[in-house]
């Protein structure tokens, strides 16, 4: 067997949903009773050396109406059909169309187990996470925290905290890296078009991103890029032992990556691909981060170039596939990046936030006093309140305005946002203003009230 065949075989094995289900069972997540026999049978067929099924479970034949006929394997039922017209441009023939219940099979009967936590609905299909038996609740909450490290709530707290309280330069450059990594990851998903792991046998504890494609895992990419970039940007600039950074990177990365398998949202192959893809992106683009940040701050026409470039990238990403949460997230990422970059330009021009001179490096952490701590808390509460108000105002303005300009019905907001003419300006303008507020408007407020 050639090396290429061996790698293809290994990739196929790492993509198997049975391995995801096995990891979930190892961590104490069991399928609902109505599915337990079917899921156990699928695991047993995949690996004859699997432990025997419990006495209370018997292998059940799948109902003929569930997948179009008797004897259909669960994995076959969950593979989404090809896109009309041969899969469209940029995607392979084995891809799945978006806007479907990705990796989910119909349930043959009612389920009685309790839901494993309060999970968000999928914004496209309105489906919720599956009912499941969870026997290890500490692991469940740990992995819920890990998966939140790649969600909007974390980003909208993490980046402003860096910019307002720790180091604006590091915060800005973290955003540059994050935008680049997430944009390439989201576009790659829409080009490769691999579906999520099949359910059953996988238990879908989270379905918020279930209408997106699977390869690579952008959670894994973000969970790899952020801690590595934090260490690269701060070591030598701040005084701290390198061992702290070397401990932070694997802990953060492994928590985020394992949480996506635990939630049933990614195969092992998706996670590995996301990790390696991020390492390649950082190796190529990290040397240019300093140049990009300096350009954003100092070039005369930087705001025009930033807005135009990010908008063009957003339009390109919207042509890769039909509507999904992936397209909206891409526009949100690009809008945030453009807003933060433009805000940093005006902040620098007006001298609101100045980076420390190079001859003062490495920075020494000032002693934590009650006054310093109180100002930091005030900046977070006041700044986040202002940012959230801006976001809500822009959301209420941009969606109806875009519907009116492009003559789209606005009765159902969810359906209206499935049009590129509505979703792109809504996300781009709204989160562009959020980013601009973080780096310009909020620091100006801090300076005005004396807590900068």
């Amino acid at each position: 067997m050639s090396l290429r065949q061996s790698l293809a075989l290994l990739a196929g094995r790492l993509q198997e949903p049975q391995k995801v289900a096995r990891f979930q069972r190892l961590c104490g997540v069991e399928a609902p009773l109505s599915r337990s026999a079917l899921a156990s049978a699928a695991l047993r067929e995949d690996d004859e050396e699997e432990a025997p099924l419990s006495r209370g479970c018997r292998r059940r034949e799948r109902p003929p109406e569930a997948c179009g006929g008797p004897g259909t394997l669960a994995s076959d039922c969950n593979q989404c059909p090809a896109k009309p017209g041969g899969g469209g441009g940029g995607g392979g023939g084995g891809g799945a169309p978006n806007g479907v219940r990705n990796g989910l099979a119909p349930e043959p009967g009612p389920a009685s187990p309790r839901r494993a936590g309060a999970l968000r609905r999928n914004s496209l299909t309105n489906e919720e996470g599956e009912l499941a038996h969870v026997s290890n609740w500490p692991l469940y909450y740990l992995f819920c925290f890990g998966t939140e490290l790649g969600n909007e709530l974390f980003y909208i707290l993490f980046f402003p905290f860096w910019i307002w309280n720790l180091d604006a330069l590091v915060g800005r450059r973290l955003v540059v890296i994050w935008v680049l990594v997430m944009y390439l990851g989201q576009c790659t998903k829409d080009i490769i078009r691999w579906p999520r792991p099949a359910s059953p046998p996988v238990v879908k504890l989270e379905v918020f991103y279930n209408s997106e494609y699977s390869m690579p895992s952008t959670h894994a990419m973000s969970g790899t890029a952020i801690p590595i970039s934090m260490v690269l940007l701060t070591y030598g600039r701040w005084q701290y032992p390198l061992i702290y950074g070397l401990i932070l990177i694997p802990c953060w990365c492994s928590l985020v990556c394992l949480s996506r398998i635990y939630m049933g949202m990614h195969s092992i192959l998706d996670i590995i691909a996301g990790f390696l893809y991020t390492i390649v992106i950082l190796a190529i683009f990290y040397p240019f981060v300093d140049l990009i940040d300096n350009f954003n701050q100092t070039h005369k026409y930087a705001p025009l170039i930033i807005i135009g470039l990010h908008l063009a990238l957003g339009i390109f990403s919207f042509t890769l596939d039909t509507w999904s949460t992936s397209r909206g997230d891409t526009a949100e990422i690009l809008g945030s990046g453009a807003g933060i970059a433009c805000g940093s330009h005006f902040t620098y021009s007006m001298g609101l936030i100045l980076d420390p001179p190079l001859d003062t490096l490495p920075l020494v952490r000032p002693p934590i006093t009650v006054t310093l701590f109180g100002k930091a808390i005030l900046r977070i509460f006041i700044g986040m309140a202002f940012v959230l108000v801006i976001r809500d105002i822009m959301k209420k303005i941009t969606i109806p305005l875009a519907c009116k300009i492009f003559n789209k019905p606005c009765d159902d907001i969810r359906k209206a946002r499935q049009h590129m003419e509505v979703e792109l300006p809504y996300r781009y303008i709204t989160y562009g203003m959020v980013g601009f507020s973080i780096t310009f408007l909020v620091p100006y407020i801090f300076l005005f009230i004396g807590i900068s």
Side-chain angles (χ1 to χ4, degrees):
M1 183 180 295
S2 65
L3 177 62
R4 183 176 181 179
Q5 290 174 324
S6 299
L7 291 176
L9 181 62
L10 177 62
R13 289 177 177 174
L14 291 175
Q15 198 182 10
E16 292 172 354
Q18 288 82 2
K19 287 183 169 53
V20 178
R22 192 171 298 122
F23 177 78
Q24 289 182 310
R25 293 198 308 157
L26 181 66
C27 295
V29 177
E30 295 286 346
L33 294 177
S34 60
R35 287 182 26 192
S36 58
L38 181 64
S40 298
L43 288 171
R44 192 174 185 181
E45 289 173 2
D46 175 66
D47 188 357
E48 292 297 331
E49 297 179 0
E50 180 72 9
L53 299 175
S54 59
R55 294 181 180 179
C57 289
R58 294 179 303 167
R59 184 176 176 184
R60 295 164 61 184
E61 205 169 6
R62 192 166 182 80
E65 67 273 16
C67 286
T72 305
L73 295 177
S75 59
D76 294 332
C77 174
N78 286 280
Q79 298 302 316
C80 306
K83 286 176 69 68
N98 235 329
V100 297
R101 291 171 61 91
N102 199 348
L104 287 175
E107 282 294 324
S112 59
R114 56 179 173 164
R115 187 172 303 280
L119 302 174
R120 297 171 298 174
R121 292 182 178 182
N122 184 289
S123 58
L124 174 61
T125 64
N126 274 335
E127 59 188 325
E128 296 182 354
E130 293 186 52
L131 298 172
H133 289 298
V134 175
S135 59
N136 192 328
W137 285 97
L139 268 184
Y140 171 78
Y141 289 115
L142 176 66
F143 285 130
C144 282
F145 173 75
T147 204
E148 283 299 326
L149 293 178
N151 290 339
E152 179 185 350
L153 177 62
F154 167 73
Y155 296 137
I156 207 169
L157 292 172
F158 177 76
F159 293 125
F161 183 81
W162 269 95
I163 293 171
W164 298 338
N165 289 325
L166 297 179
D167 191 330
L169 180 143
V170 173
R172 294 193 311 267
R173 296 181 181 185
L174 279 173
V175 170
V176 170
I177 295 169
W178 172 72
V179 169
L180 178 64
V181 167
M182 292 296 289
Y183 177 77
L184 292 176
Q186 295 284 26
C187 288
T188 304
K189 277 185 178 183
D190 289 337
I191 292 173
I192 297 179
R193 301 179 184 178
W194 284 5
R196 299 279 182 179
S199 175
V202 172
V203 180
K204 294 295 181 74
L205 293 177
E206 179 193 291
V207 293
F208 185 74
Y209 298 103
N210 200 42
S211 55
E212 294 183 14
Y213 297 118
S214 184
M215 167 67 78
S217 168
T218 46
H219 270 77
M221 295 180 70
S222 171
T224 302
I226 289 179
I228 291 178
S229 301
M230 282 172 54
V231 175
L232 290 175
L233 290 168
T234 58
Y235 186 70
R237 180 176 176 82
W238 292 4
Q239 285 186 343
Y240 67 90
L242 180 60
I243 189 65
Y244 291 172
L246 297 180
I247 292 173
L248 173 70
I249 291 173
C251 290
W252 186 320
C253 182
S254 59
L255 177 60
V256 176
C257 291
L258 291 177
S259 72
R260 302 313 288 164
I261 302 176
Y262 179 89
M263 292 292 173
M265 296 305 292
H266 284 287
S267 68
I268 299 174
L269 183 62
D270 299 337
I271 299 297
I272 294 174
F275 173 81
L276 296 177
Y277 192 17
T278 304
I279 297 299
V280 172
I281 293 172
L282 289 177
I284 296 174
F285 291 102
Y286 180 79
F288 301 100
V289 170
D290 180 70
L291 181 65
I292 294 171
D293 183 54
N294 289 333
F295 173 85
N296 292 341
Q297 284 195 303
T298 60
H299 195 277
K300 182 179 179 180
Y301 299 108
L304 295 177
I305 296 173
I306 291 167
I307 293 172
L309 177 62
H310 285 72
L311 185 60
L313 291 174
I315 294 173
F316 169 76
S317 69
F318 270 53
T319 64
L320 293 177
D321 192 43
T322 54
W323 187 88
S324 75
T325 53
S326 175
R327 297 201 323 180
D329 289 344
T330 303
E332 182 177 316
I333 291 164
L334 291 170
S336 302
I340 287 175
C342 289
S344 68
H345 176 85
F346 291 106
T347 300
Y348 178 83
S349 300
M350 297 179 64
L352 294 180
I353 299 179
L354 297 178
D355 298 325
L358 295 177
D359 57 3
T360 63
L361 301 180
L363 301 177
V364 179
R365 178 181 62 83
I368 298 177
T369 62
V370 174
T371 302
L372 185 67
F373 183 76
K375 284 187 175 182
I377 296 299
L378 276 177
R379 284 193 289 265
I380 288 296
F381 278 103
I382 295 174
M384 290 311 305
F386 185 84
V387 166
L388 293 177
V389 168
I390 289 292
R391 187 184 68 167
D392 288 344
I393 291 174
M394 296 307 300
K395 181 177 181 180
K396 292 182 184 300
I397 292 175
T398 52
I399 294 179
L401 183 61
C403 290
K404 185 175 182 179
I405 292 175
F406 295 103
N407 197 26
K408 301 294 181 182
C410 200
D411 299 333
D412 189 332
I413 297 296
R414 188 172 61 87
K415 289 184 178 179
R417 285 174 50 190
Q418 296 182 21
H419 298 282
M420 181 186 76
E421 297 88 348
V422 176
E423 180 77 343
L424 180 58
Y426 151 60
R427 294 271 192 161
Y428 189 84
I429 296 174
T430 298
Y431 286 91
M433 280 302 301
V434 166
F436 187 77
S437 301
I438 290 171
T439 50
F440 179 72
L441 298 180
V442 173
Y444 190 82
I445 293 174
F446 292 162
L447 182 66
F448 181 76
I449 63 178
I451 61 171
S452 61

